[in-house]
Amino acid sequence: MSISNETVEKIASLSKLKIDEGKLDETRNEFNKILDWMAQLDEVDTDGVEPLVSVNAQNLVCREDVVTDGNKKAEILANAPASEFGYFSVPKVVE
């Protein structure tokens, strides 16, 4: 399958890409290479191959939710370089 420069221009318009006139032939050649590669993939025999949900055969290990002893506001703020009204105080970065 081969596409023309007009098709490349239409694809560029639909995808809101700007392709310079000098790069049109190069872009068409790249699109044609992609289509050729996809045609090669169509030739692969996948009969009897189950579709993959993930390339990893392992399941994610979930840890048990554990309630911790929160309420350490004073200890956390003790590590802050500056605090004010019970919150971290940082220098202003936006004018």
Side-chain angles (χ1 to χ4, degrees), residues 44-52:
V44 175
D45 180 23
T46 58
D47 291 338
V49 177
E50 284 194 38
L52 293 175

Side-chain angles (χ1 to χ4, degrees), residues 18-88:
K18 181 181 177 185
I19 299 176
D20 296 330
E21 287 293 323
K23 297 269 185 171
L24 201 58
D25 288 332
E26 183 180 338
T27 305
R28 184 197 64 213
N29 290 336
E30 288 295 320
F31 282 174
N32 283 325
K33 285 179 185 178
I34 291 169
L35 292 174
D36 290 342
W37 181 69
M38 291 176 69
Q40 286 180 351
L41 289 177
D42 281 340
E43 295 173 4
V44 175
D45 180 23
T46 58
D47 291 338
V49 177
E50 284 194 38
L52 293 175
V53 174
S54 172
V55 295
N56 297 326
Q58 300 175 355
N59 292 331
L60 292 176
V61 178
C62 296
R63 63 173 171 78
E64 184 107 8
D65 286 339
V66 178
V67 177
T68 61
D69 62 338
N71 266 346
K72 294 186 177 188
K73 185 176 182 179
E75 292 175 27
I76 293 171
L77 286 175
N79 293 320
S83 64
E84 190 174 349
F85 305 113
Y87 297 98
F88 288 98

